Amino acid sequence: MCHRVVRFGVVVACLTLVFGVRLAGADETCNSPYIAKLIKGQEDYVYVWTLGVEGVGDGFDKLVTIDVNPKSKTYGKVLEAVAVGTRSEAHHMGFTDDRRFIWAGGLAESKIYVFDIATDPAKPKLVRTIADMGDKTGYLGPHTYYALPGRMLVQALSNTKDKGGVTGMAVYNNNGTYIASYAMPTNNGGDGYGYDLAVNPKKNVLLTSSFTGYTNYMRPLGDLVKDTEAMKRFGNTMVMWDFKAMKPKKVFSVPGAPLEIRWSLKAGDNWAVTAAALTSKIWLIKPDSSGEWQAKEVATIGDPAKIPLPVDISITRDGRGLWVNTFMDGTTRYFDLSNPAAPKQTYEKVTGKQVNMISQSWDGKRVYITSSLLANWDKGGSDNEQFLRGFAWDGKELKQVFEVDFTKEQLGRAHHMKLGSKSLRSS
Amino acid sequence: MLLTWLACAAPALAHQAAPLPALDFEPPAPGTYTLHRIMTAPDGEVLGVDGRAQQLSRFTRKRITLLGFIYTTCVDPEGCPLAYRVFDALKQSIGARSALRDQVQLVTLSFDPARDTPAVMQRYAGSRVKEDGSGVRWYFLTTRSARELMPLVEGFGQDVRRTVDRSSGQPRRELSHVLKVFLIDRAGFVREIYSSTFLHPQTVLNDIETLRLER
């Protein structure tokens, strides 16, 4: 049986039959193109959206601020932890377009927490809770928070009716007032599932990916992988939208839960990549010679038979490299994307017993990694490391430079990261 | 993304620039999509180029309004000058369309009241402040003070920060902002917000047509 302590090995075996999963993020090179004030020098803080754990500290989900400036006296230390008073599977977060606020949410509910990070970037404050998404849209589990001018586009994972994977997107203005919602397509090949989203403004296209619903992601992984029917309820599509009109234009078949989406930031580039968690493949989304958008499998991550489970990717600012974290084997891989149609792995290193999110600084010299995937999917026993680890990257080797042990610090499970700077303090 | 910096006291040359690049996609046709109500446009007292105080709503209601914040010394080519170029192009396009020219107005509002007095705004506007027969109204506005300006800035969600530049060794107050342009319907609701990444006359014109077709 797949109970917690022995879960890792058993889960790998179980997953051989099916796939895997992950939940994603973003970093300084992976923010919405509408976000101002990218930090192109040394970042001062890493904000970590952290899942509460019963019996660990106050047990609540919280936003943790960590000093990551090597010149600081408190380098590598926890500066602040702002609890939200609930434990609801804290997962992802995103900046507003003016980078004054972080929106964050949990997958077990439909609430969104808004933190002010401009008044004092070292000490975020919870200033608003948006609680009407479920009532307004019927969507559950807000996942991706994508800044638009004056608004936030929120991609959900599930719905309040049957808690399955059919879901949609909601738009709020920056004051937290609901504006509109858009269902993921269930026709023309669409499965209705959602996960990540990313906009290419120059081409007026929005690209979305697909994962699974509450009934799957809140279920203990050991049980889930033994349920053949449940394992069929994962996304196998990506959707290209007319962004201005917010209408689906084309559904791509991308088997195995395509997750994070990263557009190349290099001027003149016109392509995006994603990683399919269950099949361990990298996919390229790019127009063909006739200008028609196509999705194509272009690389394999590790040995798919061993279910490495790619859970997060981070693209370099020049679009020439891609970091990939695989949860099950705790490995961080680097792919050369010089030819995005044929990525080549050039480096790998085990960076933890379980690793999830990976974020990099704008210059690519600093890489941050966290450990938690989902409360019920994280490994058990001594494999359940919970951390933020900072690494230096010289183009050849990842060298760990600090670690914050989230269990020792009584914080919880470390998940999504965003970078902060003293210079972004409002005046 | 753009941060525009208010340098010492550059002259108001914002509207001299190269032609705008062509749009790199075929936008959806006007009326085939919905522009939702994002928020209510804020109101407050502003000054025209004649120095007369009026409510901003006097310039943002009854017609479809395109409003942008600027400061006249801004020199970032993708900041205020870009907005000015787009406004200029739209004035020409709208002026050539009889169905639109009396239904649209342009508003340029300074967020640097300390420097941008009504007289400075008059010089910045040049001949554009006057109706030239095309019928497209273009208002150049400022405020008496930061105290009167800030509710408008905050109400629109236009981030403005004052910082100190120590690179020269001399602390100097600087002003930074992210370019945003607001499309406001006749009832005073903001219906679209453009940043530099997708501020283009063609998409704005389509959005204006979309609002016009709502009638």
Side-chain angles (χ1 to χ4, degrees):
Chain A
M1 63 185 291
C2 297
H3 73 80
R4 194 167 192 81
V5 175
V6 298
R7 197 167 61 191
F8 174 59
V10 179
V11 162
V12 169
C14 297
L15 284 172
T16 303
L17 299 174
V18 214
F19 52 76
V21 192
R22 140 330 158 244
L23 307 192
D27 44 62
E28 207 56 22
T29 60
C30 304
N31 281 312
S32 159
Y34 300 101
I35 289 177
K37 309 168 191 168
L38 292 180
I39 302 169
K40 297 188 175 180
Q42 171 67 52
E43 58 279 3
D44 293 305
Y45 314 112
V46 170
Y47 303 113
V48 183
W49 187 218
T50 304
L51 295 69
V53 176
E54 188 173 5
V56 176
D58 59 19
F60 296 141
D61 294 345
K62 52 180 62 70
L63 185 64
V64 177
T65 305
I66 294 169
D67 185 335
V68 297
N69 190 328
K71 293 182 179 178
S72 171
K73 292 179 180 177
T74 50
Y75 176 57
K77 304 296 183 186
V78 175
L79 298 178
E80 189 77 2
V82 182
V84 297
T86 61
R87 184 171 59 251
S88 299
E89 198 63 48
H91 206 74
H92 278 198
M93 55 183 170
F95 296 117
T96 51
D97 62 331
D98 55 15
R99 207 164 179 152
R100 295 166 68 187
F101 299 94
I102 282 178
W103 289 34
L107 299 182
E109 59 184 8
S110 296
K111 290 182 180 175
I112 299 169
Y113 303 97
V114 180
F115 297 90
D116 172 5
I117 58 166
T119 301
D120 184 349
K123 296 182 177 179
K125 286 189 170 56
L126 178 64
V127 293
R128 178 179 294 130
T129 300
I130 301 168
D132 65 355
M133 195 179 90
D135 292 339
K136 295 283 189 183
T137 68
Y139 302 148
L140 172 66
H143 178 267
T144 297
Y145 303 86
Y146 203 81
L148 305 179
R151 289 153 286 175
M152 187 70 84
L153 178 58
V154 182
Q155 170 73 68
L157 294 189
S158 190
N159 68 79
T160 56
K161 189 175 180 181
D162 66 6
K163 298 188 176 181
V166 175
T167 188
M169 297 174 280
V171 182
Y172 284 82
N173 70 21
N174 280 358
N175 293 325
T177 301
Y178 169 77
I179 296 174
S181 61
Y182 304 92
M184 308 306 288
T186 54
N187 55 4
N188 299 318
D191 52 26
Y193 287 17
Y195 181 76
D196 197 17
L197 57 83
V199 175
N200 180 344
K202 297 295 185 187
K203 295 295 181 181
N204 186 41
V205 291
L206 162 68
L207 190 59
T208 57
S209 56
S210 56
F211 178 46
T212 194
Y214 179 102
T215 52
N216 274 357
Y217 64 67
M218 291 300 290
R219 191 171 173 183
L221 186 58
D223 292 340
L224 174 63
V225 296
K226 291 185 293 185
D227 185 335
T228 306
E229 288 305 307
M231 292 302 285
K232 294 178 182 176
R233 295 192 285 270
F234 278 81
N236 294 298
T237 62
M238 297 183 77
V239 181
M240 185 68 76
W241 301 66
D242 179 324
F243 174 56
K244 183 71 189 182
M246 287 302 286
K247 293 178 181 175
K249 293 176 67 177
K250 185 173 184 177
V251 177
F252 303 112
S253 174
V254 182
L259 300 178
E260 316 313 311
I261 301 167
R262 308 294 186 222
W263 287 100
S264 173
L265 302 180
K266 184 182 177 186
D269 274 1
N270 189 26
W271 51 264
V273 291
T274 191
L278 311 186
T279 52
S280 208
K281 301 289 186 181
I282 295 174
W283 286 71
L284 174 68
I285 299 87
K286 185 180 179 182
D288 61 20
S289 57
S290 67
E292 177 73 18
W293 287 96
Q294 305 289 357
K296 180 184 177 184
E297 179 190 316
V298 292
T300 298
I301 303 163
D303 179 358
K306 295 180 180 177
I307 315 296
L309 210 55
V311 285
D312 194 20
I313 58 177
S314 175
I315 195 167
T316 57
R317 64 176 176 173
D318 61 2
R320 295 301 185 100
L322 186 74
W323 289 106
V324 179
N325 262 5
T326 46
F327 180 79
M328 287 300 191
D329 57 9
T331 299
T332 298
R333 294 175 169 83
Y334 187 83
F335 283 80
D336 181 347
L337 277 186
S338 298
N339 177 4
K344 292 180 180 176
Q345 183 182 316
T346 58
Y347 177 82
E348 72 174 53
K349 180 174 186 170
V350 174
T351 50
K353 292 182 177 178
Q354 57 183 7
V355 296
N356 187 25
M357 307 307 298
I358 180 163
S359 294
Q360 64 185 299
S361 57
W362 182 254
D363 61 12
K365 293 180 179 177
R366 296 169 298 284
V367 175
Y368 302 98
I369 291 173
T370 54
S371 50
S372 178
L373 177 54
L374 286 160
N376 285 323
W377 291 20
D378 284 352
K379 297 176 184 177
S382 61
D383 286 340
N384 185 31
E385 294 179 333
Q386 294 299 339
F387 59 77
L388 165 70
R389 286 179 180 155
F391 295 85
W393 171 245
D394 61 4
K396 296 178 180 177
E397 180 66 26
L398 275 180
K399 179 183 177 185
Q400 185 174 321
V401 291
F402 76 84
E403 174 179 354
V404 176
D405 185 328
F406 272 55
T407 301
K408 184 179 177 182
E409 297 286 341
Q410 295 286 289
L411 296 169
R413 302 174 186 271
H415 195 90
H416 201 197
M417 295 169 280
K418 287 290 181 185
L419 307 187
S421 172
K422 293 175 183 175
S423 66
L424 298 177
R425 178 191 293 268
S426 60
S427 56
Chain B
M1 302 301 71
L2 85 113
L3 271 186
T4 50
W5 297 97
L6 176 62
C8 307
L13 299 174
H15 35 289
Q16 299 172 357
L20 290 159
L23 200 59
D24 200 19
F25 60 88
E26 185 66 33
T32 64
Y33 58 94
T34 302
L35 293 170
H36 294 281
R37 290 178 174 179
I38 298 171
M39 60 185 180
T40 303
D43 200 5
E45 199 165 88
V46 295
L47 303 176
V49 293
D50 58 1
R52 193 156 60 100
Q54 298 188 71
Q55 292 299 111
L56 177 62
S57 56
R58 152 77 175 76
F59 305 99
T60 58
R61 305 288 166 91
K62 297 183 179 177
R63 291 184 177 83
I64 298 167
T65 305
L66 196 64
L67 181 148
F69 286 91
I70 60 96
Y71 54 92
T72 61
T73 48
C74 175
V75 293
D76 184 322
E78 291 193 77
C80 313
L82 172 63
Y84 205 110
R85 291 161 64 197
V86 171
F87 276 43
D88 223 13
L90 284 165
K91 180 177 170 62
Q92 302 303 321
S93 299
I94 295 167
R97 300 178 186 217
S98 58
L100 277 183
R101 71 170 68 113
D102 292 329
Q103 299 188 41
V104 180
Q105 58 194 355
L106 309 176
V107 175
T108 295
L109 175 58
S110 170
F111 53 76
D112 188 15
R115 299 181 195 227
D116 293 342
T117 62
V120 170
M121 292 301 286
Q122 171 79 73
R123 286 199 297 276
Y124 180 77
S127 61
R128 291 166 177 80
V129 73
K130 298 176 182 176
E131 292 184 29
D132 57 5
S134 69
V136 182
R137 293 160 176 81
W138 190 345
Y139 301 105
F140 291 81
L141 308 175
T142 188
T143 48
R144 281 197 185 87
S145 63
R147 187 174 60 83
E148 292 188 357
L149 170 70
M150 288 317 293
L152 297 175
V153 167
E154 289 290 336
F156 276 108
Q158 172 67 73
D159 182 37
V160 181
R161 297 184 305 133
R162 289 198 178 275
T163 59
V164 176
D165 174 22
R166 299 180 185 279
S167 59
S168 64
Q170 295 293 322
R172 185 180 66 191
R173 275 162 60 88
E174 292 186 330
L175 193 62
S176 70
H177 76 116
V178 178
L179 174 65
K180 288 183 181 177
V181 172
F182 303 85
L183 180 64
I184 304 167
D185 66 17
R186 299 175 184 88
F189 289 103
V190 175
R191 303 291 291 275
E192 184 57 287
I193 305 172
Y194 309 94
S195 68
S196 62
T197 47
F198 73 127
L199 177 63
H200 192 282
Q202 182 61 56
T203 52
V204 177
L205 196 57
N206 281 16
D207 290 348
I208 289 172
E209 284 278 13
T210 295
L211 293 185
R212 187 181 69 85
L213 291 170
E214 287 183 345
R215 272 191 161 177

mmCIF file of all heavy atoms in Angstrom, chain A residues 34 42 47 81 105 112 123 125-126 148 174 190 206 214 219 224 239 263 278 299 311 340-341 354 372 385 409:
data_model
loop_
_atom_site.group_PDB
_atom_site.id
_atom_site.type_symbol
_atom_site.label_atom_id
_atom_site.label_comp_id
_atom_site.label_asym_id
_atom_site.label_seq_id
_atom_site.Cartn_x
_atom_site.Cartn_y
_atom_site.Cartn_z
ATOM 1 N N TYR A 34 3.468 42.285 -18.420
ATOM 2 C CA TYR A 34 2.858 43.553 -18.026
ATOM 3 C C TYR A 34 3.370 44.033 -16.670
ATOM 4 O O TYR A 34 2.973 45.096 -16.198
ATOM 5 C CB TYR A 34 1.332 43.407 -17.976
ATOM 6 C CG TYR A 34 0.746 43.004 -19.306
ATOM 7 C CD1 TYR A 34 0.373 41.693 -19.556
ATOM 8 C CD2 TYR A 34 0.602 43.940 -20.327
ATOM 9 C CE1 TYR A 34 -0.147 41.311 -20.780
ATOM 10 C CE2 TYR A 34 0.083 43.569 -21.557
ATOM 11 C CZ TYR A 34 -0.287 42.254 -21.779
ATOM 12 O OH TYR A 34 -0.796 41.885 -23.006
ATOM 13 N N GLN A 42 20.850 42.678 -7.910
ATOM 14 C CA GLN A 42 20.770 41.740 -6.783
ATOM 15 C C GLN A 42 19.418 41.888 -6.080
ATOM 16 O O GLN A 42 19.079 42.974 -5.606
ATOM 17 C CB GLN A 42 21.900 42.022 -5.786
ATOM 18 C CG GLN A 42 21.790 41.262 -4.473
ATOM 19 C CD GLN A 42 21.982 39.758 -4.631
ATOM 20 O OE1 GLN A 42 22.964 39.313 -5.207
ATOM 21 N NE2 GLN A 42 21.027 38.977 -4.115
ATOM 22 N N TYR A 47 10.283 35.858 -1.370
ATOM 23 C CA TYR A 47 9.022 35.587 -0.682
ATOM 24 C C TYR A 47 8.629 34.144 -0.987
ATOM 25 O O TYR A 47 8.613 33.734 -2.153
ATOM 26 C CB TYR A 47 7.917 36.522 -1.171
ATOM 27 C CG TYR A 47 8.241 37.995 -1.027
ATOM 28 C CD1 TYR A 47 8.418 38.792 -2.151
ATOM 29 C CD2 TYR A 47 8.368 38.589 0.228
ATOM 30 C CE1 TYR A 47 8.707 40.145 -2.042
ATOM 31 C CE2 TYR A 47 8.673 39.941 0.358
ATOM 32 C CZ TYR A 47 8.841 40.716 -0.787
ATOM 33 O OH TYR A 47 9.142 42.054 -0.665
ATOM 34 N N ALA A 81 7.139 36.319 8.730
ATOM 35 C CA ALA A 81 6.200 35.277 8.313
ATOM 36 C C ALA A 81 4.798 35.780 8.626
ATOM 37 O O ALA A 81 4.461 35.999 9.789
ATOM 38 C CB ALA A 81 6.479 33.965 9.027
ATOM 39 N N GLY A 105 -2.957 32.351 -3.215
ATOM 40 C CA GLY A 105 -4.148 31.569 -2.893
ATOM 41 C C GLY A 105 -3.826 30.129 -2.596
ATOM 42 O O GLY A 105 -2.701 29.659 -2.776
ATOM 43 N N ILE A 112 -8.527 34.447 -2.226
ATOM 44 C CA ILE A 112 -7.275 35.035 -2.685
ATOM 45 C C ILE A 112 -6.811 36.037 -1.627
ATOM 46 O O ILE A 112 -7.598 36.881 -1.174
ATOM 47 C CB ILE A 112 -7.462 35.745 -4.041
ATOM 48 C CG1 ILE A 112 -7.919 34.740 -5.111
ATOM 49 C CG2 ILE A 112 -6.176 36.448 -4.465
ATOM 50 C CD1 ILE A 112 -8.392 35.383 -6.399
ATOM 51 N N LYS A 123 8.669 43.488 5.033
ATOM 52 C CA LYS A 123 7.596 43.077 5.938
ATOM 53 C C LYS A 123 6.237 43.171 5.237
ATOM 54 O O LYS A 123 5.485 44.138 5.441
ATOM 55 C CB LYS A 123 7.603 43.948 7.201
ATOM 56 C CG LYS A 123 8.872 43.785 8.030
ATOM 57 C CD LYS A 123 8.802 44.626 9.284
ATOM 58 C CE LYS A 123 10.047 44.389 10.146
ATOM 59 N NZ LYS A 123 10.031 45.209 11.386
ATOM 60 N N LYS A 125 2.388 42.868 4.294
ATOM 61 C CA LYS A 125 1.200 42.932 5.150
ATOM 62 C C LYS A 125 -0.001 42.395 4.385
ATOM 63 O O LYS A 125 -0.199 42.734 3.218
ATOM 64 C CB LYS A 125 0.918 44.374 5.578
ATOM 65 C CG LYS A 125 1.862 44.909 6.636
ATOM 66 C CD LYS A 125 1.368 46.263 7.149
ATOM 67 C CE LYS A 125 2.151 46.708 8.385
ATOM 68 N NZ LYS A 125 3.600 46.772 8.153
ATOM 69 N N LEU A 126 -0.786 41.565 5.045
ATOM 70 C CA LEU A 126 -2.028 41.083 4.446
ATOM 71 C C LEU A 126 -3.041 42.223 4.514
ATOM 72 O O LEU A 126 -3.410 42.671 5.601
ATOM 73 C CB LEU A 126 -2.552 39.867 5.217
ATOM 74 C CG LEU A 126 -3.881 39.280 4.728
ATOM 75 C CD1 LEU A 126 -3.761 38.735 3.312
ATOM 76 C CD2 LEU A 126 -4.348 38.170 5.686
ATOM 77 N N LEU A 148 -2.278 41.816 -15.586
ATOM 78 C CA LEU A 148 -2.619 42.588 -16.773
ATOM 79 C C LEU A 148 -2.670 44.050 -16.327
ATOM 80 O O LEU A 148 -2.729 44.321 -15.131
ATOM 81 C CB LEU A 148 -3.982 42.153 -17.322
ATOM 82 C CG LEU A 148 -4.157 40.663 -17.628
ATOM 83 C CD1 LEU A 148 -5.568 40.401 -18.135
ATOM 84 C CD2 LEU A 148 -3.129 40.187 -18.632
ATOM 85 N N ASN A 174 -7.439 45.532 -9.907
ATOM 86 C CA ASN A 174 -6.414 45.518 -8.860
ATOM 87 C C ASN A 174 -6.961 45.845 -7.480
ATOM 88 O O ASN A 174 -6.277 45.623 -6.467
ATOM 89 C CB ASN A 174 -5.283 46.488 -9.219
ATOM 90 C CG ASN A 174 -4.310 45.886 -10.220
ATOM 91 O OD1 ASN A 174 -4.455 44.729 -10.629
ATOM 92 N ND2 ASN A 174 -3.316 46.668 -10.629
ATOM 93 N N GLY A 190 -11.140 20.381 -26.645
ATOM 94 C CA GLY A 190 -10.801 20.890 -25.317
ATOM 95 C C GLY A 190 -11.326 19.980 -24.215
ATOM 96 O O GLY A 190 -12.424 19.431 -24.330
ATOM 97 N N LEU A 206 -2.851 34.221 -25.982
ATOM 98 C CA LEU A 206 -2.806 33.698 -24.616
ATOM 99 C C LEU A 206 -2.724 32.186 -24.738
ATOM 100 O O LEU A 206 -3.496 31.581 -25.489
ATOM 101 C CB LEU A 206 -4.079 34.097 -23.855
ATOM 102 C CG LEU A 206 -4.415 33.318 -22.581
ATOM 103 C CD1 LEU A 206 -3.405 33.602 -21.479
ATOM 104 C CD2 LEU A 206 -5.827 33.670 -22.090
ATOM 105 N N TYR A 214 -9.753 19.282 -7.959
ATOM 106 C CA TYR A 214 -9.632 19.150 -6.503
ATOM 107 C C TYR A 214 -9.682 17.695 -6.047
ATOM 108 O O TYR A 214 -8.921 17.274 -5.184
ATOM 109 C CB TYR A 214 -10.773 19.951 -5.867
ATOM 110 C CG TYR A 214 -10.862 19.928 -4.368
ATOM 111 C CD1 TYR A 214 -10.421 21.000 -3.604
ATOM 112 C CD2 TYR A 214 -11.452 18.848 -3.691
ATOM 113 C CE1 TYR A 214 -10.532 20.996 -2.219
ATOM 114 C CE2 TYR A 214 -11.564 18.827 -2.309
ATOM 115 C CZ TYR A 214 -11.102 19.905 -1.581
ATOM 116 O OH TYR A 214 -11.220 19.888 -0.209
ATOM 117 N N ARG A 219 -6.151 14.545 -2.989
ATOM 118 C CA ARG A 219 -6.187 13.151 -2.560
ATOM 119 C C ARG A 219 -4.767 12.650 -2.304
ATOM 120 O O ARG A 219 -3.840 12.991 -3.054
ATOM 121 C CB ARG A 219 -6.827 12.323 -3.677
ATOM 122 C CG ARG A 219 -7.192 10.916 -3.312
ATOM 123 C CD ARG A 219 -8.005 10.320 -4.450
ATOM 124 N NE ARG A 219 -8.241 8.905 -4.234
ATOM 125 C CZ ARG A 219 -8.877 8.129 -5.103
ATOM 126 N NH1 ARG A 219 -9.348 8.647 -6.235
ATOM 127 N NH2 ARG A 219 -9.053 6.844 -4.843
ATOM 128 N N LEU A 224 -4.404 7.841 -4.991
ATOM 129 C CA LEU A 224 -4.797 8.332 -6.312
ATOM 130 C C LEU A 224 -4.227 7.466 -7.432
ATOM 131 O O LEU A 224 -4.937 7.088 -8.365
ATOM 132 C CB LEU A 224 -4.328 9.786 -6.477
ATOM 133 C CG LEU A 224 -4.540 10.422 -7.856
ATOM 134 C CD1 LEU A 224 -6.020 10.513 -8.203
ATOM 135 C CD2 LEU A 224 -3.903 11.807 -7.902
ATOM 136 N N VAL A 239 -4.350 25.331 -24.916
ATOM 137 C CA VAL A 239 -5.271 26.123 -25.729
ATOM 138 C C VAL A 239 -4.615 27.454 -26.093
ATOM 139 O O VAL A 239 -4.032 28.130 -25.235
ATOM 140 C CB VAL A 239 -6.594 26.394 -24.986
ATOM 141 C CG1 VAL A 239 -7.550 27.205 -25.867
ATOM 142 C CG2 VAL A 239 -7.244 25.091 -24.549
ATOM 143 N N TRP A 263 7.181 31.775 -22.282
ATOM 144 C CA TRP A 263 7.504 32.391 -23.564
ATOM 145 C C TRP A 263 8.961 32.834 -23.537
ATOM 146 O O TRP A 263 9.449 33.331 -22.519
ATOM 147 C CB TRP A 263 6.620 33.621 -23.805
ATOM 148 C CG TRP A 263 5.195 33.314 -24.139
ATOM 149 C CD1 TRP A 263 4.128 33.352 -23.286
ATOM 150 C CD2 TRP A 263 4.665 32.926 -25.409
ATOM 151 N NE1 TRP A 263 2.969 33.011 -23.945
ATOM 152 C CE2 TRP A 263 3.273 32.749 -25.259
ATOM 153 C CE3 TRP A 263 5.229 32.710 -26.664
ATOM 154 C CZ2 TRP A 263 2.439 32.361 -26.315
ATOM 155 C CZ3 TRP A 263 4.406 32.324 -27.711
ATOM 156 C CH2 TRP A 263 3.032 32.157 -27.531
ATOM 157 N N LEU A 278 3.418 14.102 -16.667
ATOM 158 C CA LEU A 278 3.217 12.656 -16.611
ATOM 159 C C LEU A 278 4.026 11.900 -17.649
ATOM 160 O O LEU A 278 4.368 10.738 -17.448
ATOM 161 C CB LEU A 278 1.736 12.334 -16.790
ATOM 162 C CG LEU A 278 0.792 13.155 -15.912
ATOM 163 C CD1 LEU A 278 -0.636 12.656 -16.053
ATOM 164 C CD2 LEU A 278 1.232 13.114 -14.474
ATOM 165 N N ALA A 299 11.693 17.206 -26.568
ATOM 166 C CA ALA A 299 12.760 16.632 -25.733
ATOM 167 C C ALA A 299 12.162 15.774 -24.628
ATOM 168 O O ALA A 299 10.988 15.911 -24.270
ATOM 169 C CB ALA A 299 13.620 17.740 -25.123
ATOM 170 N N VAL A 311 8.211 19.244 -12.513
ATOM 171 C CA VAL A 311 7.205 20.030 -11.806
ATOM 172 C C VAL A 311 7.359 21.536 -11.965
ATOM 173 O O VAL A 311 6.435 22.281 -11.693
ATOM 174 C CB VAL A 311 7.184 19.660 -10.315
ATOM 175 C CG1 VAL A 311 6.501 18.324 -10.120
ATOM 176 C CG2 VAL A 311 8.589 19.642 -9.740
ATOM 177 N N PRO A 340 15.395 25.733 -29.934
ATOM 178 C CA PRO A 340 14.240 25.328 -29.112
ATOM 179 C C PRO A 340 13.510 24.110 -29.674
ATOM 180 O O PRO A 340 12.751 23.468 -28.953
ATOM 181 C CB PRO A 340 13.338 26.573 -29.130
ATOM 182 C CG PRO A 340 13.760 27.347 -30.336
ATOM 183 C CD PRO A 340 15.215 27.056 -30.520
ATOM 184 N N ALA A 341 13.772 23.782 -30.937
ATOM 185 C CA ALA A 341 13.133 22.595 -31.521
ATOM 186 C C ALA A 341 13.878 21.318 -31.150
ATOM 187 O O ALA A 341 13.402 20.218 -31.437
ATOM 188 C CB ALA A 341 13.061 22.727 -33.040
ATOM 189 N N GLN A 354 13.397 15.896 -2.363
ATOM 190 C CA GLN A 354 12.241 16.229 -3.182
ATOM 191 C C GLN A 354 12.394 17.710 -3.537
ATOM 192 O O GLN A 354 12.705 18.530 -2.671
ATOM 193 C CB GLN A 354 10.917 15.970 -2.457
ATOM 194 C CG GLN A 354 10.766 16.692 -1.133
ATOM 195 C CD GLN A 354 9.468 16.358 -0.407
ATOM 196 O OE1 GLN A 354 8.721 15.494 -0.808
ATOM 197 N NE2 GLN A 354 9.216 17.071 0.683
ATOM 198 N N SER A 372 8.258 21.670 -1.698
ATOM 199 C CA SER A 372 6.928 21.059 -1.543
ATOM 200 C C SER A 372 6.113 21.113 -2.824
ATOM 201 O O SER A 372 6.044 22.133 -3.510
ATOM 202 C CB SER A 372 6.154 21.767 -0.434
ATOM 203 O OG SER A 372 4.856 21.213 -0.319
ATOM 204 N N GLU A 385 11.917 16.554 3.207
ATOM 205 C CA GLU A 385 12.667 17.792 3.470
ATOM 206 C C GLU A 385 11.798 18.982 3.072
ATOM 207 O O GLU A 385 11.116 18.946 2.046
ATOM 208 C CB GLU A 385 13.949 17.818 2.633
ATOM 209 C CG GLU A 385 14.979 16.777 2.986
ATOM 210 C CD GLU A 385 16.197 16.864 2.080
ATOM 211 O OE1 GLU A 385 16.068 17.326 0.924
ATOM 212 O OE2 GLU A 385 17.279 16.455 2.528
ATOM 213 N N GLU A 409 12.459 25.755 11.264
ATOM 214 C CA GLU A 409 11.986 27.118 11.548
ATOM 215 C C GLU A 409 10.500 27.159 11.886
ATOM 216 O O GLU A 409 9.932 28.240 12.081
ATOM 217 C CB GLU A 409 12.258 28.032 10.346
ATOM 218 C CG GLU A 409 13.728 28.223 10.005
ATOM 219 C CD GLU A 409 14.443 29.130 10.991
ATOM 220 O OE1 GLU A 409 13.765 29.883 11.716
ATOM 221 O OE2 GLU A 409 15.687 29.063 11.053
#
